[in-house]
Amino acid sequence: MISMPEVYWLLIAALALVSLALIKRRRIPMLSTLLVFSSIFSVQFNLEQSYVESERQNVNLTMTRELGSIAHKVTGIVGAHMAAVEGLAAYLSTQPELSDAAFNEFAAGIFARQPYMINVAAAPDLVVSRIYPLRGNEAALGLNYLEHNEQRDAVLRARDSDQPVLAGPLRLVQGGWALIGRLPVYVEGAGGERRFWGIVSATLDARKIFAAAGLSARGADHQLAVRGTDGRGAAGGVFFGSPGVFESPGVVTLPVSVASGEWLMAARVSDPAGLARGVWFLRILALVLAGGWLLALEQRQRIRNDKRYYERKLLDSEQLLQEAGRLAKVGGWKLDGKAELVHFSEQFAEMLHMPNAESASRSEVVSMLSRRHREELKNAVQRCFTHAQPFDVELPIERSTPMQWMRIIGNPVTRNGRVLEVIGAIQDVTERREFIETIQRQATRDLLTGLPNRHQFDAFLAREIAHAARNSQRVAVLFIDLDEFKSVNDNLGHGGGDELLIEAAERIRSCVRKSDIVARLSGDEFAVILPDVTNRNAASVVAAKIVASMNQPFDIRERHIFSSASVGVALYPEDGTDAETLLINADQAMYEVKKSIRNDFTFFNRELQRRSEERHGLFNKLSLAVAERRLEVFYQPIVPLDGSGQISCEALIRWRDGDSWIAPDSFIPLAEETGLITEIDRFALEEATAFSERLRASGLEPPALSVNVSPRVFFDRAGELARWVERVKLCAERADLTVEITERLLTQDTPHATVVLEQLRASGVKIAIDDFGTGYSSLSYLARFPVDTLKIDGFFVGKLPGETSAVTLTETILSLGHKLNLRLVAEGVETAAQLQFLEARGCHSAQGYLLSRPLPEDEFSNWLLAYRESGDQWNPVLARSAG
């Protein structure tokens, strides 16, 4: 990290480099620059040195006074306590046999006057025998100083020197840090000689004394330290502060006399807080003066250079503006105080195609506008002159071919509050206007048919509803959906589908009035707004015309294409009072036509609404049931009739809502339509496979398993479909699996379905066509698809053996299956006669209520066990139960 002095020298270096660059470019004189730089920075350096030295001397003087104050306090506190103890020592020298009570009484008097005293002790022969106060100091009794390393030296010094010694600071035996005053006691012997009696010690609280003297205070700009343990001065150890203080440069020291010894106090002084500010003030002032001088000189030279430069460029700029105006299609003009055109540029004349530009006038320009736009421009100019109000308008020049749009901008030139003239510009904005119109058209119009889109339709419908509400009128909304439009896309491609949509839009428009609104909502869905319809019959006429028109063949790419329309009608205010409700109800009405007869129209009614609400409620409950996995799987046996013993079963979804069962015919079509069927099929596949494994684990050989798969699964996104295929493959490894598909899949996406089915077939999965015979598929699909089984629809089986057509069709399917080597299963077998008919004609297996209803897991397990145990006797048993 760069320090502040380094920053200062970097700034000086930068200033020097700038000066050299300016000198090199001859923007400033070299001699003057060197003279000013040397003068400024030499003066700054001398002032800085004087200032720093003065400030540091002031700080040292202040610190010396502070140390003297502290030393005086320490000397006074310690001296007072030592004097008190000297009285006790003198008393003991005359009364060496002093009793404990007398000792305690004398010591108590000392304590009353000395606040920092911890205890007073007497040690005859250097062994502590008396101490006051005793409580808390019991550990000191019996202490032999000669055996205590920390205290022995100070005690011997006091004895040998016959002088008081201040020992410590040191840790006491009884705990805490203290200073200990040692005073030797001598008594007069029998022969008059002086004899060493012992030591009197006064223990002082070191921390309290330091705090009272101010030693504990630490300033932000200095640090204190004290050395001289046991009063040995510079030879003693450091007992307060950091030893590094004594080694610091510029340290302030002061000796302090304590007892017969000495302490040495030291203070490390930092530069005062204001020192750096003062130094940097001088430095910045020098830099500013030097930089300001360079700037002033350079600025003066620049002004002279700029003047010459702009004089040279003035002519070039005028030519450039003329060229830029031509490229940007911008021209200039000026009106005088009488609103007469007194000046305009060449671009102005070119854009307005004025051949005689020299004599052009304001009236000539205005004549190019329509009457309405003339008034608009006139009013704008008048406000500009009257109120000094600028204007910015876009007006069409209708005299030009094709029509141009001009943006005219005017700004007043005022003096003393009066408009003298108006100066402005004119710009050709034709391309921008066309671009904006294109964007607006794309935002509100369907790009294929040119009709209003869904957004614009909603706005129109809301407007017509508001108008009808004010005038007590009716509005009809027709929701139109083309029938079989997907097959047109599949066979002719999206290009052919687009042609059909364009032609359909034209036909719908031809069936309505000019005041009616036709829109394309999305895909093959259109809508019509019929404002101010007098009754339902008027809407019926239009709807019937649309149905009839759409029922005619379309000529698309030299082919006749048939695509009828289903139309739903809703009326304001009977069927809804807002745009969204009306459109939803018209859509519901259309849906009723779509799912029944198609190629027709119907009006919305409350019954449709009721059924729609029921359907919506059923969908919500079904979605929750699927999410919470509350559906159940039942199993219906598929019994062999050919003696092969190949028993199998079909997994069927059942749904119990509370205490009642919901019929599959009610929720399976809804699931197909909404896409829930794919999740239901996955659930059935996983549950049935797990049930098959449970049967095997219980010791009962599971039958082959058939699972229905909706065609919607095959049209999932590539990733979803790939995961589904992998799931089926895994299930096929755990069970003998057959996937049942409908004929509809074969007609919707043959190449795509073929690839997926062949992948499954390669993994051991069998393929069965369910409800065969009722769809629209060609028999050629049987040869092209990897099919293993045909399941004859129960519609034919239910009419056997009495109805001739059913017999013929069933026998044909059976014969076809035999020749193609396919396994044949009859669905919906309910009578013994049907079973005998099928068995006699070689049908391999049968399925139906005669054999068993769909059963839950436990009942199917019992049925399977009974079937296994009956063996060859099962059919006679069945016949008897049927009779």
Side-chain angles (χ1 to χ4, degrees), residues 2 68 96 112 116 122 139 174 226 259 313 338 366 451 629 701 729 749 780 791 795 833:
I2 301 176
Y116 303 114
Q174 61 270 34
V226 184
K313 290 292 184 179
K338 298 179 181 179
V366 171
L451 297 175
R629 301 178 70 85
E701 181 63 24
K729 290 179 180 180
D749 187 9
S780 64
K791 299 189 74 174
F795 175 78

Side-chain angles (χ1 to χ4, degrees), residues 159 274 285 414 426 454 459 499 551 600 659 674 685 725 740 786:
R159 183 194 66 182
L285 180 61
T414 61
I426 185 170
R454 173 62 182 270
E499 292 182 31
N551 201 31
D600 201 357
D659 296 330
T674 59
L685 175 66
V725 170
E740 296 188 11

Side-chain angles (χ1 to χ4, degrees), residues 482-657:
L482 303 185
D483 301 327
E484 301 301 331
F485 176 72
K486 186 179 184 303
S487 64
V488 177
N489 264 343
D490 293 342
N491 289 283
L492 297 182
H494 290 288
D498 289 347
E499 292 182 31
L500 175 62
L501 291 172
I502 294 171
E503 177 62 25
E506 289 299 324
R507 291 190 184 185
I508 295 172
R509 274 195 288 215
S510 68
C511 297
V512 300
R513 302 167 296 183
K514 288 185 177 180
S515 59
D516 299 333
I517 299 168
V518 180
R520 181 187 176 202
L521 301 184
S522 64
D524 60 342
E525 294 179 344
F526 296 84
V528 176
I529 303 174
L530 304 177
D532 191 20
V533 292
T534 55
N535 50 46
R536 293 167 64 93
N537 186 54
S540 299
V541 171
V542 176
K545 286 173 64 178
I546 293 174
V547 171
S549 177
M550 299 298 294
N551 201 31
Q552 300 301 313
F554 292 83
D555 292 327
I556 306 295
R557 299 188 176 183
E558 300 180 353
R559 295 177 63 178
H560 288 315
I561 303 297
F562 291 90
S563 180
S564 58
S566 299
V567 182
V569 186
L571 295 174
Y572 168 87
E574 296 96 317
D575 301 329
T577 57
D578 60 85
E580 183 178 8
T581 303
L582 275 179
L583 193 61
I584 290 174
N585 291 341
D587 186 15
Q588 288 182 7
M590 181 278 297
Y591 178 77
E592 286 298 314
V593 178
K594 178 74 73 175
K595 73 178 185 180
S596 55
I597 58 176
R598 299 193 175 194
N599 190 30
D600 201 357
F601 73 91
T602 189
F603 282 82
F604 173 80
N605 55 56
R606 296 304 165 190
E607 177 61 22
L608 291 180
Q609 184 176 17
R610 184 191 62 79
R611 289 205 299 268
S612 175
E613 290 173 353
E614 288 181 354
R615 177 176 173 275
H616 184 67
L618 184 64
F619 170 71
N620 288 337
K621 291 198 294 185
L622 179 59
S623 299
L624 187 60
V626 171
E628 296 179 351
R629 301 178 70 85
R630 288 192 283 105
L631 301 178
E632 300 181 36
V633 180
F634 279 34
Y635 302 89
Q636 187 173 29
I638 303 175
V639 178
L641 305 179
D642 56 358
S644 64
Q646 295 182 7
I647 183 71
S648 59
C649 67
E650 181 179 359
L652 300 168
I653 285 291
R654 294 294 183 263
W655 177 21
R656 178 162 51 192
D657 184 32

Side-chain angles (χ1 to χ4, degrees), residues 379-390 412 414 417 419:
N379 294 334
V381 172
Q382 185 175 357
R383 287 193 299 269
C384 188
F385 274 104
T386 305
H387 304 291
Q389 180 178 336
T414 61
V419 177

